Amino acid sequence: MAELGKKYCVYCLAEVSPLRFRCTECQDIELCPECFSAGAEIGHHRRYHGYQLVDGGRFTLWGPEAEGGWTSREEQLLLDAIEQFGFGNWEDMAAHVGASRTPQEVMEHYVSMYIHGNLGKACIPDTIPNRVTDHTCPSGGPLSPSLTTPLPPLDISVAEQQQLGYMPLRDDYEIEYDQDAETLISGLSVNYDDDDVEIELKRAHVDMYVRKLKERQRRKNIARDYNLVPAFLGKDKKEKEKTLKRKITKEEKELRLKLRPLYQFMSCKEFDDLFENMHKEKMLRAKIRELQRYRRNGITKMEESAEYEAARHKRERRKENKNLASSKRGKEDGKDGEFAAIENLPGFELLSDREKVLCSSLNLSPARYVTVKTIIIKDHLQKRQGIPSKSRLPSYLDKVLKKRILNFLTESGWISRDAS
């Protein structure tokens, strides 16, 4: 007599209590897995009938020889736990499987059966097929080293780092561009009940933050490329003098200042190449004008140009000598009558010939002229150094005299034109 509560296969009479297949069309027809897979038919039951899997939860997936005797219900709980808690959280997984399993048992069973077992060998190949090999950098390096390799820190002293608020190990500053950019994402959190509008709004915040980070890095790259930090610290003047192959003119310096907005669109090398090409163009245009002048004067060979230039210099030198001789004769002839009014006054011997002519034409004593000249030049130097100063010119100097003296000092090179 069969034991009470046990189930048997109706075809082979084997016990099927742990796992059996029940026909949904025939009554009291239950088959073992072996008979069901073989297509056994008995009575009115046919192999194409619908079926229902009846699991008692006590059979093992890995056979009776597997360690620990894990049932199918425990296996299902284990797979649910690793999907929920993730690989490595063995304590939470053991609590989910049941009190009968310790974290150590859960770890050993999963590693031995699902990773190193037949299932793991079939699902996890030893080598990944169709793997892309990067031939542009050493083995194990990034695909684009220029995008991931950080720039070297600035070569500045500790005192200069403190002055700038610079952190060399991070290549960051205490106060960055758009310092409050992180507030866009500091309060963001992804919730399961967010609707589509809220999700898109949060994505827009992240996009705004990424753009601000890119702009911050772009400004750092410009400052690094153009050596703005050494320029701020006053350390790039000597380096520029060493690297420059030619002397920069005043006009080129002014043009460089006007074209500074191009820094954000061009690298430092491209910017320098632009001015080098402009200088070459200027030299070529001057050479073309010189050749055209030679052609107008009937010179068709370069050998003849040297002789022509030597003759031209001689003519210009003779013309200058004639002009100097005539001017000296004129001065000697009219010297006694021209400076008779001021030649006996104190300070007359301190003046140059042009200053004597100026004082004589303005009817200004040499001592007063020297005083006004000293005050004007001193005020000009203080303004160039950024020191505020108030002009304290003497009361006897009216607007006409002041303007005449300023124009004279500007033409003579004592003060710059903007100061006048």
Side-chain angles (χ1 to χ4, degrees), residues 33-255:
E34 289 78 6
C35 295
F36 175 80
S37 60
E41 297 179 348
I42 184 172
H44 298 287
H45 175 68
R46 295 293 177 264
R47 66 183 69 183
Y48 52 82
H49 285 180
Y51 66 92
Q52 179 182 6
L53 178 64
V54 181
D55 177 16
R58 296 188 300 273
F59 77 96
T60 60
L61 294 178
W62 314 105
E65 67 277 3
E67 296 181 1
W70 283 66
T71 63
S72 61
R73 191 177 302 276
E74 289 177 329
E75 298 284 357
Q76 184 178 1
L77 291 173
L78 174 62
L79 295 178
D80 292 340
I82 199 165
E83 182 179 0
Q84 179 178 354
F85 301 107
F87 183 84
N89 296 326
W90 308 114
E91 291 80 4
D92 296 335
M93 292 169 61
H96 186 80
V97 171
S100 60
R101 299 297 178 183
T102 62
Q104 185 67 23
E105 291 177 342
V106 172
M107 181 189 70
E108 292 177 354
H109 180 72
Y110 185 82
V111 171
S112 60
M113 295 300 176
Y114 291 93
I115 296 180
H116 299 305
N118 293 330
L119 184 61
K121 293 178 181 178
C123 297
I124 307 174
D126 296 333
T127 58
I128 302 175
N130 300 327
R131 184 173 183 178
V132 178
T133 303
D134 180 18
H135 299 282
T136 61
C137 62
S139 178
L143 187 61
S144 299
S146 61
L147 298 178
T148 56
T149 304
L151 294 173
L154 295 173
D155 186 14
I156 55 179
S157 62
V158 178
E160 292 169 342
Q161 293 175 8
Q162 295 175 354
Q163 180 183 357
L164 297 173
Y166 177 70
M167 296 173 283
L169 298 180
R170 294 171 53 88
D171 195 24
D172 286 338
Y173 297 88
E174 293 180 0
I175 300 178
E176 294 279 0
Y177 167 75
D178 203 345
Q179 184 73 5
D180 299 331
E182 282 72 14
T183 56
L184 288 170
I185 61 169
S186 59
L188 289 183
S189 61
V190 180
N191 303 319
Y192 292 103
D193 55 348
D194 288 343
D195 55 15
D196 295 340
V197 176
E198 292 176 338
I199 292 175
E200 292 299 326
L201 182 61
K202 292 177 180 179
R203 286 178 178 174
H205 277 234
V206 174
D207 291 340
M208 292 166 61
Y209 176 65
V210 171
R211 286 197 295 269
K212 290 180 181 291
L213 288 184
K214 289 182 179 179
E215 177 63 19
R216 184 182 294 176
Q217 187 61 38
R218 187 183 72 87
R219 291 172 179 255
K220 284 184 180 179
N221 293 338
I222 292 175
R224 182 66 65 88
D225 189 18
Y226 283 91
N227 292 324
L228 298 185
V229 173
F232 174 77
L233 299 173
K235 299 171 61 177
D236 66 331
K237 294 183 179 179
K238 296 182 179 179
E239 297 178 0
K240 281 187 176 181
E241 292 177 356
K242 294 179 181 179
T243 56
L244 287 176
K245 299 179 180 178
R246 58 182 178 84
K247 186 177 180 181
I248 298 179
T249 61
K250 182 180 179 181
E251 292 78 9
E252 184 174 341
K253 288 182 180 179
E254 294 176 353
L255 184 59

Side-chain angles (χ1 to χ4, degrees), residues 278-398:
M278 291 172 63
H279 176 69
K280 290 179 181 178
E281 180 189 4
K282 183 178 179 181
M283 299 299 293
L284 288 175
R285 289 180 181 274
K287 188 65 175 177
I288 291 172
R289 288 195 298 268
E290 183 182 4
L291 294 176
Q292 290 175 347
R293 181 167 55 86
Y294 289 161
R295 180 60 62 87
R296 286 195 301 268
N297 288 276
I299 299 174
T300 58
K301 296 181 180 180
M302 293 301 298
E303 293 79 5
E304 300 174 356
S305 63
E307 184 178 355
Y308 168 78
E309 288 294 334
R312 185 174 65 86
H313 287 308
K314 288 181 180 179
R315 289 195 302 271
E316 292 179 354
R317 207 175 300 119
R318 285 198 299 267
K319 189 182 295 184
E320 291 178 359
N321 293 335
K322 288 181 180 179
N323 293 334
L324 289 175
S326 60
S327 62
K328 286 183 179 180
R329 284 196 301 270
K331 288 181 180 179
E332 291 175 356
D333 296 339
K335 183 175 180 181
D336 296 336
E338 185 179 3
F339 304 138
I342 60 172
E343 61 181 353
N344 296 323
L345 297 178
F348 178 78
E349 66 279 0
L350 300 176
L351 304 180
S352 63
D353 292 339
R354 293 186 61 195
E355 288 175 331
K356 291 175 183 178
V357 175
L358 176 67
C359 291
S360 178
S361 63
L362 297 179
N363 197 17
L364 186 67
S365 66
R368 288 188 174 184
Y369 168 75
V370 172
T371 302
V372 174
K373 175 183 175 182
T374 304
I375 294 174
I376 292 175
I377 294 176
K378 183 178 179 181
D379 292 345
H380 173 65
L381 293 177
Q382 289 180 348
K383 287 180 181 179
R384 290 188 60 182
Q385 296 175 359
I387 303 174
S389 61
K390 292 183 179 180
S391 181
R392 299 173 181 174
L393 294 175
S395 58
Y396 55 80
L397 191 68
D398 56 9

